[in-house]
């Protein structure tokens, strides 16, 4: 498996991949592929943190981290993570998250925040975000709003999470 930065030539494939990955997802609004396109055009986009996973020359996974704020500190929002259905549960999502975390730490980001499965993301080091003082701006079960410290020497954060406007979360 090769994990690399997404390129312009990959965008149509990523759109279809995200659509397929979320087609049967338990928690999906069906617009995740449009969110990816909107985020890519936004001020929150970080090209180095839009990654694809390739197997046999085929793109089978994608992850995107975008700029967000927790109080007055910059953090990352992990969303979405997408793997083609037939490639799920094979470690591709895990590999994308780990590589994204490595790059993000190198870029100076201290925290990543995710709204996701309380069964999956804790395996990647995510804990309830309130343990870091990060609070959602909307109602969500505590166990599904998580954060991960990306660097040991990072200063503490706290406050309400503010996502890029493209997420449609106030």
């Amino acid at each position: 498996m090769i994990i690399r930065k997404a390129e312009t030539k990959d965008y149509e494939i990523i759109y279809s991949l995200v659509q397929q990955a979320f087609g049967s997802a338990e928690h999906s609004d069906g617009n995740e592929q449009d969110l990816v396109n909107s985020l890519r055009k936004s001020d929150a986009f970080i090209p180095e943190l839009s990654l694809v996973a390739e197997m046999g020359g085929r793109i089978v996974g994608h992850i995107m981290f975008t700029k967000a704020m927790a109080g007055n500190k910059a953090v990352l929002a992990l969303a979405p993570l997408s793997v083609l259905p037939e490639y799920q549960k094979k470690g591709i999502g895990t590999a994308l998250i780990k590589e994204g975390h490595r790059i993000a730490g190198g870029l100076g980001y201290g925290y990543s925040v995710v709204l996701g499965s309380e069964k999956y993301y804790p395996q990647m080091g995510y804990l309830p975000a309130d343990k870091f003082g990060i609070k959602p701006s909307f109602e969500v079960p505590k166990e599904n709003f998580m954060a991960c410290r990306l660097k040991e020497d990072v200063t503490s954060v706290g406050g309400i999470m503010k996502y890029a406007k493209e997420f449609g979360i106030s």
Side-chain angles (χ1 to χ4, degrees), residues 32 58 70 73-74 92 113 127 132 143 166:
E32 288 82 5
R58 179 180 185 200
K73 298 263 172 78
I92 294 165
V113 178
L127 302 169
F132 301 106
E143 64 271 14
E166 289 74 15

Side-chain angles (χ1 to χ4, degrees), residues 60-81:
V60 298
H62 173 259
I63 194 168
M64 181 180 270
F65 295 84
T66 52
K67 296 174 195 169
M69 298 294 288
N72 62 358
K73 298 263 172 78
V75 296
L76 295 172
L78 185 173
L81 169 62

Side-chain angles (χ1 to χ4, degrees), residues 3-167:
I3 296 179
R4 63 171 175 78
K5 183 175 142 185
E7 301 172 18
T8 307
K9 67 180 172 79
D10 303 324
Y11 292 172
E12 281 185 40
I13 295 165
I14 291 168
Y15 187 90
S16 175
L17 181 153
V18 174
Q19 197 170 36
Q20 291 175 63
F22 281 92
S24 61
E26 185 180 344
H27 300 287
S28 169
D29 64 9
N31 295 318
E32 288 82 5
Q33 65 279 356
D34 296 319
L35 174 63
V36 168
N37 282 351
S38 294
L39 287 168
R40 199 181 289 124
K41 297 171 188 164
S42 78
D43 292 338
F45 182 59
I46 306 165
E48 298 85 355
L49 292 174
S50 176
L51 305 173
V52 294
E54 281 186 8
M55 291 183 80
R58 179 180 185 200
I59 294 175
V60 298
H62 173 259
I63 194 168
M64 181 180 270
F65 295 84
T66 52
K67 296 174 195 169
M69 298 294 288
N72 62 358
K73 298 263 172 78
V75 296
L76 295 172
L78 185 173
L81 169 62
S82 312
V83 176
L84 287 173
E86 64 269 28
Y87 288 89
Q88 292 175 5
K89 299 187 184 339
K90 297 181 186 308
I92 294 165
T94 299
L96 283 164
I97 291 170
K98 286 181 177 177
E99 181 63 2
H101 284 180
R102 185 191 69 74
I103 294 168
L107 292 173
Y109 290 96
Y111 294 89
S112 172
V113 178
V114 69
L115 178 60
S117 168
E118 76 281 5
K119 295 180 179 100
Y120 180 73
Y121 287 98
Q123 299 172 55
M124 305 297 115
Y126 284 82
L127 302 169
D130 64 356
K131 292 190 181 303
F132 301 106
I134 303 171
K135 302 193 181 331
S137 62
F138 51 92
E139 288 294 317
V140 62
K142 180 176 134 174
E143 64 271 14
N144 298 114
F145 186 70
M146 296 168 273
C148 178
R149 185 186 319 248
L150 301 175
K151 298 171 16 171
E152 289 303 314
D153 62 346
V154 69
T155 59
S156 61
V157 294
I160 305 285
M161 176 77 170
K162 183 167 174 28
Y163 288 86
K165 68 180 185 310
E166 289 74 15
F167 280 97

